[in-house]
Amino acid sequence: EPVEMIAGDDVVQIASGFAFSLALNKGGIVHAWGKNNEGQLGAGVGLAVDVYAMESLPTPIEGLLEGRKVTRIAAGHSHAAAVTSTGELFTWGMHMDHEPKLENSLLHTKIVDVACGQNYTLALDQEGRLYSLGKGKTGVLGLASTKMTTQPILVEGIPAGEKVVTMSAGWTHVACTTALSE
């Protein structure tokens, strides 16, 4: 059934995880609805976070995103991420953060895109460098033997002289295209 609560908001991007959805409007505001059992709606602890937690109507995500213009969103199994117009990366969910958390370790660079897989997040900066964080027991983080990281870490396996142009996060795998660096 169509979600009409945000119909007049000029939605520019949508993302869906396991039983929850996000919508980004032209003004840079993210709305979330659906299951919230792991904090994936970014609503903080005010909305119950248990096996039955559910938000049936799209609700703006506030907290640290309030006053910032979001340009990209992504959703994984039970977590989500957003990139702002100034290149900041925010993540939430997976029973770790119940509202958007600024990834401070990436403030040295401008993030331009984000993708979420089952339990991990990828971030791409304007120079074509790829960062990963989350759970990656299948090697999905691209960080050799690292199985989990709560901080974004640069993926160093990209061939020298190349930069990542596009990326896609699958359930337990990653794909990206590269181009020669200028």
Side-chain angles (χ1 to χ4, degrees), residues 127-147:
E127 303 298 322
R129 294 180 296 240
L130 186 63
Y131 298 85
S132 66
L133 72 149
K135 297 176 184 175
K137 62 183 175 185
T138 62
V140 73
L141 298 176
L143 302 173
S145 62
T146 301
K147 303 271 189 264

Side-chain angles (χ1 to χ4, degrees), residues 90-165:
F90 288 84
T91 61
W92 62 92
M94 282 178 43
H95 275 305
M96 293 170 35
D97 297 290
H98 297 259
E99 59 187 11
K101 177 188 89 169
L102 175 61
E103 296 297 342
N104 288 313
S105 65
L106 291 177
L107 291 177
H108 68 281
T109 189
K110 183 175 183 178
I111 301 301
V112 295
D113 201 4
V114 64
C116 292
Q118 181 181 10
N119 291 311
Y120 68 95
T121 300
L122 302 173
L124 180 64
D125 77 5
Q126 67 183 354
E127 303 298 322
R129 294 180 296 240
L130 186 63
Y131 298 85
S132 66
L133 72 149
K135 297 176 184 175
K137 62 183 175 185
T138 62
V140 73
L141 298 176
L143 302 173
S145 62
T146 301
K147 303 271 189 264
M148 182 176 174
T149 176
T150 58
Q151 297 292 319
I153 297 177
L154 177 66
V155 176
E156 296 182 358
I158 308 301
E162 293 186 28
K163 63 181 181 177
V164 175
V165 179

Side-chain angles (χ1 to χ4, degrees), residues 7-46:
D9 276 354
D10 291 327
V11 173
V12 296
Q13 187 186 358
I14 56 171
S16 293
F18 179 72
F20 78 101
S21 296
L22 305 173
L24 173 64
N25 71 19
K26 192 175 182 178
I29 298 171
V30 182
H31 290 79
W33 67 100
K35 197 168 185 177
N36 193 44
N37 61 314
E38 295 191 38
Q40 60 266 48
L41 299 186
V45 293

